[in-house]
Amino acid sequence: NAGVTQTPKFQVLKTGQSMTLQCAQDMNHEYMSWYRQDPGMGLRLIHYSVGAGITDQGEVPNGYNVSRSTTEDFPLRLLSAAPSQTSVYFCASRVGLRTYNSPLHFGNGTRLTVT
Amino acid sequence: DAKTTQPNSMESNEEEPVHLPCNHSTISGTDYIHWYRQLPSQGPEYVIHGLTSNVNNRMASLAIAEDRKSSTLILHRATLRDAAVYYCIFLNAGGTSYGKLTFGQGTILTVHP
């Protein structure tokens, strides 16, 4: 099992460019989520999904879009990058929304810089 | 949403026990307490979780107060590899935050050789 795989590891964008951060998991987890981590602010939830075709907003959703066409993949799209989106992004998955005894599995992150 | 309060930082010596506290006075009866840790340049890693009873696993122990308003993560013998940021968080099992994990600032643990 590869677990949760994020690509790319690093990315530099210019303001206004768009890109997609990829996240894939091979554990057949229903629940997937995206977090961003900024210095001194812990991890903040951007969007999450409880299954294919179902997504919802987290704490800081503005500027980001998500979709969930398959159980395995949960890409995060930045349509017009801004310097405020410079951050480290983590994708995480869990068995399901109601599986309280199951841990979150995190990827190793994508470090994004917007200039 | 329920919030957790942790000390910003703690220090320990190698091979000594470490007790990492967490206050969660607004926890509800259905909220699970989870602990994660994050090593430098890595994603968070699950450590342990519990609801009401104390829990043990190969990594650590979790002691939950009887009123559930606080908990303590116990590393029985700290190693240099345990130096990380430790997060105490809720898994909300009800309400508007149903099923979502909310991370706080965490505690930076430094382990001295």
Side-chain angles (χ1 to χ4, degrees):
Chain A
N1 273 355
V4 178
T5 303
Q6 290 185 239
T7 55
K9 286 187 170 55
F10 301 94
Q11 183 70 50
V12 178
L13 290 178
K14 292 191 168 133
T15 298
Q17 287 185 317
S18 63
M19 80 158 293
T20 300
L21 279 63
Q22 302 291 345
C23 175
Q25 51 90 11
D26 61 358
M27 297 171 282
N28 202 32
H29 285 173
E30 289 185 349
Y31 180 89
M32 295 185 74
S33 54
W34 278 101
Y35 289 85
R36 62 177 287 173
Q37 186 171 37
D38 303 295
M41 300 199 69
L43 287 103
R44 294 182 291 170
L45 181 65
I46 305 172
H47 285 285
Y48 67 97
S49 168
V50 299
I54 306 169
T55 63
D56 204 350
Q57 296 182 349
E59 186 183 352
V60 288
N62 292 339
Y64 307 95
N65 283 347
V66 291
S67 60
R68 185 97 178 267
S69 57
T70 67
T71 299
E72 294 78 20
D73 300 300
F74 189 44
L76 179 72
R77 296 186 185 84
L78 285 70
L79 296 178
S80 179
S84 61
Q85 294 178 305
T86 293
S87 187
V88 181
Y89 292 84
F90 291 101
C91 178
S93 73
R94 194 169 81 239
V95 173
L97 186 64
R98 294 184 177 81
T99 53
Y100 312 119
N101 281 324
S102 69
L104 263 180
H105 296 262
F106 283 84
N108 281 327
T110 295
R111 185 175 296 273
L112 175 67
T113 302
V114 183
T115 60
Chain B
D1 288 348
K3 299 294 182 195
T4 61
T5 303
Q6 299 177 253
N8 288 334
S9 62
M10 292 185 65
E11 296 186 17
S12 173
N13 294 319
E14 205 173 5
E15 298 193 5
E16 289 184 354
V18 180
H19 291 235
L20 296 162
C22 180
N23 287 326
H24 29 79
S25 58
T26 60
I27 193 171
S28 74
T30 54
D31 289 337
Y32 280 69
I33 301 159
H34 282 235
W35 283 81
Y36 289 77
R37 71 181 186 181
Q38 187 173 20
L39 280 66
S41 301
Q42 293 188 25
E45 171 190 32
Y46 168 79
V47 177
I48 201 166
H49 77 279
L51 182 62
T52 55
S53 304
N54 294 344
V55 184
N56 299 299
N57 67 21
R58 63 176 178 81
M59 290 179 72
S61 296
L62 177 61
I64 301 173
E66 196 169 334
D67 62 6
R68 298 206 336 120
K69 294 185 185 300
S70 65
S71 62
T72 302
L73 178 71
I74 303 165
L75 307 178
H76 295 286
R77 289 183 65 192
T79 69
L80 296 179
R81 289 190 300 271
D82 291 323
V85 180
Y86 286 79
Y87 294 99
C88 161
I89 54 182
F90 293 162
L91 177 54
N92 302 108
T96 57
S97 302
Y98 189 47
K100 292 191 294 187
L101 279 168
T102 303
F103 283 78
Q105 299 288 335
T107 296
I108 300 170
L109 176 65
T110 301
V111 180
H112 299 290

